[in-house]
Amino acid sequence: MRFQASKAEQNLVRMALQIVTETTSQYSDLMPLRLCRPVPFFGPIECAKVITFGLNPSTTEFTKKRNWSRVTDAELPDELVNYWTNEDRTPHEWFQPWQTVLSELGVSYISDAAHIDLSPRATNCCKGELKAQFIEMLRTDAGIWIEGLRIARECRLILAAGSATNDPKRGYINQFISEMLSAGAGVRLRDHWSRKQSGAGQTAHNMICLHEGREIPFFFCSTDPTVRKGTVLIEACRANIAALKKHLDDQPGAPNVPPGIVDHR
């Protein structure tokens, strides 16, 4: 069965394409030689109960054999909402650990989950002298994922993992949202995360607050799906599975009291 992108999802793709087109020259040093499409989401976000959240698409998503070059801008919204069932390409292997976590929560990318990134642009490494440019790009693109969360009216839980800036002190995705976005960005992360000195798989339960007054539970793991084939991320989520399942029983946007932090190492 093939789905049609909603009006809101179509508009989000147009927004992403416009922002990327208008700012391409500013961030050209970050762009890979391989032609990559801006991808603001994977799967039908408007009806997703759970959204996984990462940094940006992998350049290997856009290898020649994956047939992205044939997709026009007009076709892109439908291509994205049908990402998980597309006959032309299988989902990228990066998503496999998240698929395991979603299965244990009783949801699936195929039916009621989707993915969003801090930026829709696939890029080269963001270390060294390009780091400041990469951070500025993330700020430029923030409106895209914030709008994505705004239209995800059924979302009851966000699962985020990993680093945004490769900064060992303040580079995690949750820290980027809390500390590196302007007050007028349209979103804030509530509740403090006390990072330990060391250890993989550190976790935090937060709330992401949109300016319209809506709050969504935001679970964060410090280790992303690429580390140890995703085993650290999976075990960190399992250690918090009861709390995560409870969020799925709540109504979207309902007031929530985040459970205590559980660290898994």
Side-chain angles (χ1 to χ4, degrees):
M1 181 177 181
R2 186 167 175 85
F3 298 97
Q4 183 176 5
S6 69
K7 187 70 173 179
E9 289 163 340
Q10 293 174 30
N11 289 339
L12 181 59
V13 171
R14 292 191 193 99
M15 175 184 180
L17 291 175
Q18 180 178 351
I19 289 174
V20 170
T21 299
E22 291 176 350
T23 59
T24 293
S25 61
Q26 294 176 230
Y27 308 117
S28 59
D29 290 341
L30 297 169
M31 297 301 113
L33 294 176
R34 175 182 295 154
L35 181 63
C36 301
R37 300 299 302 275
V39 179
F41 57 88
F42 296 83
I45 58 173
E46 195 168 25
C47 61
K49 292 181 181 178
V50 178
I51 289 177
T52 56
F53 197 85
L55 178 56
N56 63 340
S58 170
T59 57
T60 56
E61 174 66 57
F62 302 96
T63 57
K64 185 176 180 180
K65 66 181 181 180
R66 292 179 64 77
N67 296 319
W68 281 101
S69 60
R70 67 165 183 78
V71 181
T72 67
D73 288 355
E75 295 169 336
L76 188 57
D78 284 354
E79 197 77 8
L80 296 182
V81 297
N82 290 285
Y83 178 80
W84 308 105
T85 56
N86 196 310
E87 295 180 356
D88 288 341
R89 71 185 72 87
T90 58
H92 195 281
E93 62 183 8
W94 184 92
F95 292 107
Q96 291 176 2
W98 277 133
Q99 288 174 316
T100 298
V101 172
L102 293 174
S103 176
E104 296 185 9
L105 286 172
V107 295
S108 167
Y109 280 131
I110 293 176
S111 57
D112 48 8
H115 182 82
I116 294 177
D117 288 309
L118 283 179
S119 173
R121 316 181 208 218
T123 60
N124 289 322
C125 182
C126 59
K127 296 181 180 180
E129 61 184 16
L130 295 178
K131 178 180 172 182
Q133 190 178 99
F134 185 82
I135 293 172
E136 184 56 37
M137 182 194 74
L138 294 183
R139 290 192 178 110
T140 296
D141 293 344
I144 301 170
W145 63 262
I146 293 171
E147 177 63 14
L149 294 184
R150 192 189 70 79
I151 69 174
R153 302 303 303 179
E154 299 300 317
C155 182
R156 304 179 186 188
L157 175 65
I158 298 168
L159 302 172
S163 171
T165 66
N166 287 308
D167 185 328
K169 293 184 178 180
R170 56 182 303 204
Y172 289 113
I173 284 176
N174 59 345
Q175 291 175 300
F176 174 81
I177 296 172
S178 294
E179 303 171 19
M180 303 182 76
L181 289 181
S182 69
V187 67
R188 67 182 178 87
L189 204 61
R190 179 164 64 80
D191 303 310
H192 182 63
W193 180 45
S194 298
R195 180 174 181 264
K196 304 297 182 183
Q197 291 298 315
S198 62
Q202 297 177 52
T203 60
H205 295 263
N206 296 109
M207 284 288 185
I208 196 161
C209 308
L210 305 178
H211 272 188
E212 61 198 49
R214 181 168 164 235
E215 296 185 344
I216 307 172
F218 185 97
F219 174 78
F220 174 76
C221 176
S222 62
T223 304
D224 72 31
T226 65
V227 177
R228 301 179 198 171
K229 298 182 178 180
T231 56
V232 176
L233 172 63
I234 292 169
E235 290 305 314
C237 291
R238 282 174 177 164
N240 291 270
I241 200 73
L244 299 180
K245 284 184 175 180
K246 183 180 183 300
H247 290 310
L248 297 184
D249 294 331
D250 295 329
Q251 292 300 312
N256 272 279
V257 178
I261 294 172
V262 177
D263 284 342
H264 177 81
R265 301 181 187 178

